[in-house]
Amino acid sequence: MATAKSAKFDIKAYRGFKAITLLCLFVLYAPLIVVTIYSFNASASLTNWEGVSFRWYVDVFTGPESGKFKTAALNSFIIAIAAATMATTLATLAATGMVRGGKFKLRSASFGLISLPLMVPEIVTAVATLIFFNAIGFDRGIMTILLAHTAFCVPFAYLPIAARMQGIEDSYEQAAMDLYANKRQAFTKILMPLMMPGIISGFILAFIVSLDDFIITNFVKGAGVETLPTAIFGSVKQGIKPNIMAISTMLLGLSVVMVTISYFVSKADNTK
Amino acid sequence: MVEETSATGWETQLSKNEQIAIDVRDAVKRYGDFTALKTISLSIKDNEFFTLLGPSGCGKTTLLRMIAGFEDVTEGGIFLYGDEIENLPPYQRPVNTVFQNYALFPHMTILDNVAFGLEMRGANKSDARKKAGEMLELVQLSQFSARKPSQLSGGQQQRVALARALAPQPKVLLLDEPLSALDLKLRKAMQLELKHLQRETGITFIFVTHDQEEALTMSDRIAVMSAGELQQLGSPNDIYERPRNMFVADFIGETNLLEVSVDKVENGRAICHLGGGHELTCNAVDEVGVGSKVHLSIRPERLFMSEEPAEGESLKAKVRENIFVGTDITTILDLADGPEFIVRTSNSDRGNKRIFEPGTDMYVNMEVGAARLLVD
């Protein structure tokens, strides 16, 4: 068999391929599965299974901590939507400049500068952002979180938008301008609609990244301002309760939905 | 020098009352150190089907894009019916383009694509759509108006691109190798359709192609370009029958290119030496004097074979090979100690023109005017 197909490289022919794959998948997903399953546990215990119940989901919305979580969730969503919107706008402009700006000096340096924050350890960004706000005397609160999130979400939004734009030929804009559209009309009527899948994809990515950010938020948030991740962390410090598992499971579900939308939107190719 | 002689050539063809649609005056295009166009001047007449013909990289598309406004003009000027346009952005030039890849807007319906230019020119939506519908009727695609471009075949997309570019009634239509993506049969049909459309609309067409057959079929006049220079400008007949130089003779059609030395020039005739003791008389050309070593071009279809020397010019030769190519039979001949010749005999002429078996000694003949001396 192996010799007959030797011309074709088939990774499945290697011994242990299956075992390693399963191990990797197990390590990646076992904790998530455990959390998801135990969020439906009827017992207050974290380890003993006592049957299926939605009690902890009810607890999240009506229990003693529900007020805290509601405020935090509201903050998180407001920040995530606002930061993703601003980051996507900036990223769209950046991508337009980078992809359509022709050759300019320091083009690759600019690309590096835009995507570098993805590689910088988040704690460094967090500390730097905190020091920056202190230095300019910006009082910490929801605004500082919003600004910090906008800044670090730009590269996440930029990548899918720029990738999309690279796939759109110049000739569409040229055809638009040839047909009497000025530069602004060519952008809004032709380029923007064609870029839309990339823009939506970038927005969703930025939204998710902002929604679950903990480190930077924890550094730049003011006293008493909580987002969902910091509220969860605060609650966990006093001991893990099953309601945390319920919140985590809901966040997980939201992420899955968003990532799925992003995947299908970016695949829907309206240039073909 | 090439520009000057060809320039006088077309200026004399131009009668006084003919209007010039596009006048390119000493246009130069440089990209950094690279010169894509070297001082081109040409005038394209009103209501003319004009073709820029040349191999890839000859500057023909650059010139077209300069007229459209997608490329800056480094030096010189471009005039549209007397108005200087080289500094206007593309959206202020009453000139439309059919792009090589069509560039139909993929997110819009066929009708909206065709209406786009009209709307951008300020027509209201319903008027624009009505006019667009009429244009689609003209190219026989009305039934597809609600579809997206991706749902159409290449040939249909091609016609939509044409309708879209014609809808705003441009003064000049630019076509950038629009037929190159189509298969042969469709291409032939579109050539005729384009030609008819040009006649019907009366709009000046400037067509860019590297396909010499396409250029000969469709054009009123052809500008042959190579290496950023104009090589020859003239009617298809001029270009084919009276090529000026090696490049044009070689690029347009098939030809026998022979290296010759001019022995004698008298009474407008030049006696040329082919090597191996063979001599040929042809019409003299001003630029070629006695003693010059130049090239001679003879079209294969202007040659015919016979057992005995015929009237006019005859050379003794031996048949090497016959190749059947459907409409024609191509015969390869060898002159004793001289060059080889390719002779094309039309299949329909087989009755009165002879085909010889390989190895046969015979004569290859032509009229005096059939051979043409070329400027290198």
Side-chain angles (χ1 to χ4, degrees), chain B residues 329-344:
Chain B
I329 293 152
T330 300
T331 309
I332 303 171
L333 310 171
D334 289 308
L335 262 56
D337 302 319
E340 67 166 42
F341 268 87
I342 293 172
V343 179
R344 190 176 307 135

Side-chain angles (χ1 to χ4, degrees), chain A residues 141-155:
Chain A
I142 204 160
M143 275 309 285
T144 49
I145 305 178
L146 178 57
L147 286 174
H149 279 210
T150 303
F152 82 77
C153 282
V154 167

Side-chain angles (χ1 to χ4, degrees), chain B residues 290-335:
Chain B
V290 176
S292 339
K293 279 199 169 273
V294 289
H295 283 87
L296 191 69
S297 161
I298 310 166
R299 298 288 180 195
E301 71 273 17
R302 303 284 297 265
L303 295 167
F304 60 95
M305 296 169 283
S306 60
E307 227 159 326
E308 299 298 324
E311 265 179 67
E313 293 299 302
S314 279
L315 298 165
K316 198 164 167 34
K318 190 194 268 287
V319 176
R320 194 199 301 166
E321 203 180 352
N322 286 316
I323 302 157
F324 178 72
V325 287
T327 52
D328 302 314
I329 293 152
T330 300
T331 309
I332 303 171
L333 310 171
D334 289 308
L335 262 56

